[in-house]
Amino acid sequence: MLVSWFTTFCGARLISNQTEMSLNCIALYLFEIGDLTKFSFIMGLNFALRPTAAILWLPFLPEFCGKLKDKTFKNLLKCLKFAALPLVGALALDSIMTSSLSITWLEFFKFNFLSGGSAEFGVHSPYWYLYSGLPSVLGPLLAFLPFGYFCSKKTRLLTIYATFYIVVYSFIPHKEIRFLLPVTPLLFPICASVVSTLIKKGVQTNKIDGHFGTYLKFAVKLFIGLNLGATIFLGFFHQCGVKRATADISEKISQMDAPRVWIMTPCYAVPIFSHIHHPNIELEYYKCAPKEFRHLYTNGSAYPLIQPNGFATVDLHQDISKKLAGAKAPHFILAFQEHVPKIIASFDKAGYEYKVCVTYFHSFIKDFARAVEILCNS
């Protein structure tokens, strides 16, 4: 798990998912040693931060009750009290900040499960986690995952719990690989236990000769090498253009009084707020806002850039012309190379001339934009 490209690559950006995963690791340890009071507090904190934590821990309830059977009713109340502490704190904080009673986890449940609001961010097949998510996370270790049910009583329980988590998430229309981060504390130990059991049984039955040890060492080195290679490639080279382009824009506008920058790319494709800094910047970028929240982006007569159904459906010419009707033309525009000709043509029709001033390599993979470009006034 420590050398996995997945935890390294996702952990640097997806802070809330990584926090949920880390708290699950702590909770599993406390649960295993029987410290149910601290376990309850960690679970309450995890649920307050990300309500999806309940999906992983619901199957643990029978085992939790089993651990409590020899405890007193007083200890049960103590566990409930410690679990409620972070929940009450979160409720109070949210209510104070919104000036009204705000039950965040309930709104989260209504949006994602009852109304299916997450579908507006993309819909995937119910089997997506099986043919794409899990293979990406576990790689060749995926072959050992089903055998966790037969390996031992402990791995059988963990396999059932992990299966429950994946099945529930499969019913949510919108799927992302990051949603598997919280369940990795179960997936990796299951696979490792299966491999360990196979080796022990092979040694006991004398079916493992000297050559097998050599092959095993090679396999371990290969696994580590492939994961480190993937981490380096994905962390430093794959889709690297947006980082360099935003850093360049931030440097270019540092000496300007009131710079105007437009990001003409799909939602979440550019690290905007972590790399573009200026106290008086006028920044325009596409927002992937669900229907019930789009009114928050309506700013007087200015035309908000909303991307409801993916960037492929965006009418760049219409967006640019309407936006220019209520806002000044930008000093810099950041866009993927394949969209630049249309953007330049749209501004040209409105009476503004732009040219490509910098081009940055972005990705080796054909499915993604090959280059990122910064447009400047001619």
Side-chain angles (χ1 to χ4, degrees):
M1 186 173 176
L2 291 175
V3 300
S4 170
W5 76 270
F6 175 68
T7 50
T8 304
F9 182 73
C10 293
R13 170 182 175 267
L14 308 168
I15 303 301
S16 62
N17 299 99
Q18 187 79 356
T19 302
E20 183 181 357
M21 184 198 77
S22 300
L23 289 175
N24 282 339
C25 289
I26 297 171
L28 280 167
Y29 170 73
L30 295 172
F31 187 79
E32 188 65 25
I33 66 174
D35 194 339
L36 300 183
T37 302
K38 292 181 181 177
F39 165 80
S40 300
F41 177 80
I42 294 296
M43 285 317 305
L45 177 62
N46 209 0
F47 183 81
L49 294 173
R50 287 191 64 84
T52 49
I55 298 175
L56 181 69
W57 290 99
L58 277 175
F60 280 83
L61 280 178
E63 194 174 350
F64 178 81
C65 294
K67 289 179 178 290
L68 275 175
K69 67 180 181 180
D70 297 327
K71 307 292 184 180
T72 63
F73 183 70
K74 182 178 180 181
N75 287 334
L76 174 61
L77 291 178
K78 187 178 181 181
C79 290
L80 293 176
K81 180 179 70 175
F82 271 80
L85 282 175
L87 293 176
V88 172
L91 175 64
L93 180 61
D94 291 338
S95 299
I96 291 172
M97 297 303 294
T98 58
S99 301
S100 62
L101 182 63
S102 181
I103 308 176
T104 307
W105 66 265
L106 180 60
E107 296 301 323
F108 180 93
F109 178 77
K110 287 163 57 179
F111 177 80
N112 287 283
F113 291 91
L114 298 183
S115 67
S118 65
E120 294 193 46
F121 297 95
V123 177
H124 301 81
S125 164
Y127 310 104
W128 187 85
Y129 286 117
L130 298 180
Y131 66 76
S132 182
L134 286 173
S136 299
V137 174
L138 296 175
L141 289 178
L142 180 62
F144 299 102
L145 186 62
F147 296 99
Y149 186 81
F150 308 98
C151 183
S152 67
K153 183 179 179 181
K154 194 66 178 178
T155 57
R156 177 177 299 176
L157 285 173
L158 294 181
T159 304
I160 292 173
Y161 300 160
T163 302
F164 176 82
Y165 179 93
I166 294 168
V167 168
V168 171
Y169 262 86
S170 296
F171 282 100
I172 302 176
H174 179 64
K175 298 172 179 64
E176 293 184 38
I177 191 173
R178 66 187 176 96
F179 296 153
L180 291 177
L181 263 173
V183 78
T184 51
L186 301 185
L187 297 177
F188 281 104
I190 292 170
C191 297
S193 297
V194 172
V195 174
S196 178
T197 300
L198 290 174
I199 294 173
K200 288 178 181 178
K201 288 185 176 180
V203 172
Q204 292 171 357
T205 56
N206 296 319
K207 291 183 179 180
I208 296 181
D209 55 21
H211 293 293
F212 183 84
T214 303
Y215 296 145
L216 180 62
K217 290 179 181 179
F218 174 76
V220 171
K221 291 178 181 178
L222 180 63
F223 177 78
I224 295 174
L226 288 174
N227 274 281
L228 291 178
T231 300
I232 293 172
F233 172 73
L234 294 171
F236 292 97
F237 301 102
H238 179 58
Q239 297 186 26
C240 61
V242 290
K243 179 181 177 182
R244 295 170 182 172
T246 48
D248 187 14
I249 286 180
S250 187
E251 183 178 353
K252 290 179 184 299
I253 66 176
S254 60
Q255 302 302 320
M256 300 175 66
D257 293 330
R260 297 183 298 275
V261 178
W262 287 18
I263 309 295
M264 307 295 289
T265 64
C267 294
Y268 315 125
V270 176
I272 300 174
F273 296 107
S274 60
H275 284 72
I276 299 180
H277 305 288
H278 195 287
N280 300 316
I281 188 172
E282 294 181 25
L283 186 63
E284 296 291 344
Y285 58 95
Y286 279 98
K287 291 95 175 175
C288 281
K291 291 179 181 178
E292 57 264 44
F293 301 119
R294 288 177 195 166
H295 67 279
L296 299 175
Y297 296 102
T298 302
N299 183 18
S301 60
Y303 179 75
L305 298 176
I306 303 294
Q307 180 189 319
N309 299 310
F311 198 71
T313 63
V314 167
D315 189 332
L316 287 171
H317 177 67
Q318 174 183 310
D319 284 354
I320 290 171
S321 59
K322 286 189 175 181
K323 194 67 184 173
L324 287 174
K328 295 181 180 180
H331 295 103
F332 300 102
I333 302 169
L334 188 151
F336 290 133
Q337 192 176 52
E338 59 263 39
H339 303 129
V340 167
K342 190 170 185 178
I343 292 173
I344 291 178
S346 299
F347 274 98
D348 186 61
K349 288 182 180 179
Y352 299 94
E353 292 187 7
Y354 283 86
K355 66 178 182 180
V356 177
C357 42
V358 188
T359 300
Y360 290 98
F361 165 78
H362 187 57
S363 174
F364 294 98
I365 301 175
K366 189 175 181 180
D367 291 343
F368 296 95
R370 290 297 186 90
V372 179
E373 294 186 331
I374 299 175
L375 309 183
C376 314
N377 286 310
S378 298

